[in-house]
Amino acid sequence: MTPFLLSQICIAIAMCFDVMTFQFKQRKHVVYCLVSANVLIGLHFFLLEQWTAVLLMAIAALRNTVSLYFNSRRIMFGFIGLTLIATAMTYQNALSLLAGAAALLPNIAMFSGSDKRMRILLMVSTCIWILHNSLAGSPMAILMEVLFLAGNLVGYYRFYLHSKHRLA
């Protein structure tokens, strides 16, 4: 089995976690799914030799776990700093910059006190990852991010828009 095929299998499994992520209302369930997906996505990027994205996924898994226990701006800025340093240290080409840009927004999102704000920031980040994965040539990663975005939009609608329509 080729590294590319293995990478696509990792993404297919990560996709399952991503689809589930935003169908939970409890933050800890959302974060557990995100961490599981981060690990699998990191393995996917490892197999594709996208070193910036590998390191950023490792940082994301750590950040998401830490965000369950601490909601500190200092920690958030620490993760922003780590993201910038990781991007600079592993810079290969424009894909590294896209990965870095996509990884910055979740640092703010995961330390946000608002589930609604977290979802919006993650949607913007996901759009950047879609572009990154398109340029990296990973069709399953593109599909995964599109499904992640769709799941986030459905969850956002269910929890924030649909409930307003029922009250009106």
Side-chain angles (χ1 to χ4, degrees):
M1 191 172 299
T2 68
F4 178 79
L5 186 55
L6 281 173
S7 77
Q8 300 306 288
I9 291 170
C10 288
I11 285 297
I13 298 167
M15 229 183 289
C16 296
F17 287 104
D18 272 353
V19 168
M20 292 186 312
T21 297
F22 288 105
Q23 301 316 306
F24 294 111
K25 181 70 173 162
Q26 279 192 316
R27 182 181 178 85
K28 71 177 182 177
H29 294 125
V30 170
V31 173
Y32 292 152
C33 286
L34 285 173
V35 170
S36 299
N38 291 145
V39 170
L40 289 161
I41 296 165
L43 182 55
H44 154 266
F45 284 128
F46 174 81
L47 292 164
L48 294 179
E49 299 180 2
Q50 294 294 321
W51 307 119
T52 301
V54 170
L55 191 52
L56 293 174
M57 283 299 123
I59 292 169
L62 178 62
R63 176 206 60 226
N64 291 344
T65 303
V66 168
S67 77
L68 277 175
Y69 304 101
F70 304 100
N71 191 4
S72 160
R73 291 187 62 77
R74 291 170 77 185
I75 295 172
M76 178 189 76
F77 284 117
F79 279 106
I80 288 171
L82 276 175
T83 299
L84 293 171
I85 290 167
T87 301
M89 287 177 50
T90 59
Y91 177 82
Q92 294 173 307
N93 52 36
L95 281 179
S96 297
L97 295 177
L98 275 175
L104 282 173
L105 290 172
N107 288 311
I108 299 165
M110 296 313 293
F111 290 97
S112 172
S114 162
D115 176 71
K116 190 174 185 179
R117 182 174 184 216
M118 177 187 75
R119 289 172 187 270
I120 291 168
L121 290 169
L122 290 177
M123 283 189 262
V124 174
S125 172
T126 300
C127 291
I128 300 170
W129 278 117
I130 290 169
L131 176 59
H132 173 276
N133 295 337
S134 298
L135 296 173
S138 181
M140 289 299 286
I142 297 165
L143 178 60
M144 178 199 64
E145 294 294 351
V146 167
L147 290 175
F148 183 77
L149 181 61
N152 195 351
L153 286 167
V154 168
Y156 188 89
Y157 174 79
R158 284 178 51 222
F159 297 127
Y160 298 107
L161 300 177
H162 183 63
S163 60
K164 285 184 181 179
H165 292 294
R166 281 191 280 164
L167 297 176

